[in-house]
Amino acid sequence: MDFIDLKTQYQRIQKSVDERISNVLQHGQYIMGPEVQELEKKLADHVGVKHCLGVSSGTDALLVAMMAIDIKPGDEVITSPFSFFATVETMVLLGARPVFVDIDPATYNLDAKLLAAAITDKTKAIVPVSMYGQCSDMDIINQTAAQHNLPVIEDGAQSFGATYKGRQSCGLSTIGGTSFFPSKPLGCYGDGGAVFTDDDELARAMDEIRLHGQRGRYNHERIGINGRMDTIQATILTAKMEIFVDEVELRQQIAQRYTDELIKLGACYAGRDDANLKVPHINAENTSVYAQYTVQVTDREKTMKRLKEKGIPTAVHYPKSLHKQPAIASMGYSEINMPHSESAASSVFSLPMHPYLDANTQDTIIQALAVEI
Ligand SMILES: *Cc1c(COP(=O)(O)O)cnc(C)c1O
């Protein structure tokens, strides 16, 4: 049993992918070839924003976005403590200090109601994370940010294709960044990412930053990075976009089946306490792309071991709250408490989840979980 099955997907799009890669190999423009712009146009249309820029990873998407809004040493950036390390790593690289706001235990996302209290005169930006493929309460976050004139960068590395009040993730705030790491809902065959914005000036800044701060050949107006997306990765993503909407639907059907069956067996939704097994809670205004289908149990190690014995692979996203990561904790965070984030980090684990998970395999997983409820 696969945790994520990328081979079946490849078989479905093999002809298109192989032809496209071969095409790039023939014309030889491996860096910033025309396929990159073709993809950017497609992605911008999908998200419903003016500008999309392909970058080299989800991490660089965050870095480029934060450089464009001029995050500097001494600035504070407010974010969620429950995320992949890149969310804070990029701010710290720029010399900023992460300020954590605990999560809502129902969604695993930054609790928007707690945001206003964390804003100080050093706050420079807010970076909500759309965990597991579900967006935060972006209206409240955007309104709170607007009152203080702050930009909002959505870490949409797990949520490309998700919607909030009918609008697409990555197009909900000042800048949206995503990742095309192979196992994300839209993944390439290596590293890749993208940034999205409606702001012409920020788009221009990010375009320059991903190209060593260059404005015109060998004229460097600012400090940038080597943050481009490869032509081959871009063309693979264009091929995958042909089936992406269908794949998102399949993911949602499979997730709904997990949820319906486990609730029938007595599981409860995340954020509640009436069962040992908690399934994802998706807010009514959201659709999730289920980058992960993540559940919670009290004794995670025991449950994961029992599933493993039955041949069912699982994984933990993520086992440590960011303020407890050694590299961050040592920066003076050892005294802070993020009870909901810490509790999630000690009890979540993810089940096999991909568009090609068949009903029989899924039934095996559901049956194996029945005893854990
Ligand atoms: C995957 C991920 C990233 C980093 O993306 P890469 O493409 O691996 O650099 C950043 N933030 C979150 C929430 C992620 O899940």
Side-chain angles (χ1 to χ4, degrees):
M1 194 187 297
D2 292 317
F3 185 68
I4 293 177
D5 176 8
L6 293 170
K7 288 176 303 240
T8 303
Q9 182 199 50
Y10 175 58
Q11 282 156 15
R12 190 174 166 195
I13 52 173
Q14 183 165 10
K15 191 163 172 288
S16 173
V17 167
D18 290 4
E19 273 175 22
R20 287 168 185 280
I21 292 177
S22 164
N23 220 15
V24 177
L25 296 178
Q26 298 299 327
H27 72 52
Q29 290 182 60
Y30 306 127
I31 302 292
M32 298 306 276
E35 289 82 356
V36 176
Q37 263 192 356
E38 186 194 339
L39 173 72
E40 289 170 346
K41 167 101 185 49
K42 250 193 184 59
L43 296 179
D45 288 349
H46 186 86
V47 168
V49 293
K50 252 168 105 176
H51 306 281
C52 166
L53 298 155
V55 294
S56 40
S57 68
T59 305
D60 282 344
L62 294 170
L63 187 61
V64 165
M66 288 189 223
M67 288 172 79
I69 60 167
D70 200 22
I71 300 289
K72 285 194 300 289
D75 292 340
E76 291 179 356
V77 180
I78 298 176
T79 193
S80 164
F82 193 60
S83 183
F84 179 59
F85 192 62
T87 308
V88 278
E89 183 180 37
T90 40
M91 346 179 146
V92 173
L93 269 173
L94 296 175
R97 186 165 178 81
V99 172
F100 296 111
V101 168
D102 203 4
I103 56 167
D104 173 348
T107 61
Y108 307 105
N109 284 333
L110 183 155
D111 188 339
K113 294 188 300 293
L114 306 177
L115 177 60
I119 295 174
T120 72
D121 53 10
K122 288 191 183 154
T123 307
K124 191 71 177 281
I126 300 163
V127 181
V129 183
S130 304
M131 271 303 271
Y132 303 140
Q134 169 171 220
C135 297
S136 305
D137 203 333
M138 294 302 281
D139 278 355
I140 300 184
I141 292 172
N142 285 330
Q143 280 156 19
T144 310
Q147 280 160 12
H148 300 267
N149 219 358
L150 294 168
V152 176
I153 300 172
E154 181 195 0
D155 181 346
Q158 302 186 6
S159 59
F160 186 80
T163 61
Y164 169 81
K165 299 189 177 173
R167 290 155 56 212
Q168 291 281 327
S169 169
C170 296
L172 302 167
S173 61
T174 321
I175 301 174
T178 197
S179 162
F180 302 124
F181 185 80
S183 61
K184 308 279 177 173
L186 177 64
C188 51
Y189 293 147
D191 278 306
V195 286
F196 299 84
T197 189
D198 272 323
D199 185 306
D200 297 343
E201 256 173 66
L202 284 175
R204 176 177 174 148
M206 293 193 289
D207 191 15
E208 290 174 5
I209 290 165
R210 72 171 169 168
L211 296 167
H212 298 288
Q214 198 167 254
R215 185 179 303 171
R217 200 166 171 81
Y218 300 132
N219 172 54
H220 301 269
E221 292 281 337
R222 56 169 93 229
I223 298 298
I225 62 172
N226 178 349
R228 303 167 294 230
M229 172 185 278
D230 294 1
T231 312
I232 287 180
Q233 299 305 339
T235 206
I236 290 164
L237 288 165
T238 301
K240 288 209 190 183
M241 279 302 281
E242 290 164 6
I243 57 165
F244 181 65
V245 171
D246 180 53
E247 286 194 334
V248 168
E249 262 177 49
L250 289 171
R251 299 180 86 91
Q252 286 165 345
Q253 282 164 17
I254 288 160
Q256 195 59 50
R257 192 158 180 270
Y258 265 137
T259 298
D260 290 347
E261 296 301 315
L262 291 168
I263 289 282
K264 254 190 252 167
L265 290 167
C268 69
Y269 288 100
R272 304 184 52 123
D273 274 321
D274 29 326
N276 181 48
L277 184 78
K278 299 178 190 187
V279 298
H281 167 95
I282 308 302
N283 280 338
E285 67 264 31
N286 287 333
T287 61
S288 175
V289 280
Y290 296 96
Q292 305 296 341
Y293 187 91
T294 302
V295 298
Q296 254 181 293
V297 288
T298 321
D299 193 343
R300 174 173 69 195
E301 272 55 43
K302 201 166 78 193
T303 301
M304 286 177 70
K305 186 163 169 278
R306 280 203 287 248
L307 290 175
K308 193 176 172 202
E309 281 160 10
K310 293 178 181 158
I312 300 167
T314 56
V316 177
H317 308 94
Y318 296 96
K320 245 185 219 167
S321 189
L322 292 175
H323 70 288
K324 297 273 188 190
Q325 288 290 352
I328 302 296
S330 63
M331 294 169 54
Y333 291 86
S334 54
E335 299 301 315
I336 68 163
N337 288 313
M338 294 281 140
H340 293 309
S341 175
E342 287 163 44
S343 159
S346 67
S347 56
V348 293
F349 71 97
S350 307
L351 302 176
M353 177 71 214
H354 57 84
Y356 307 103
L357 187 68
D358 65 86
N360 282 342
T361 309
Q362 194 177 19
D363 285 340
T364 306
I365 301 164
I366 292 164
Q367 277 155 27
L369 278 167
V371 295
E372 313 291 335
I373 295 170

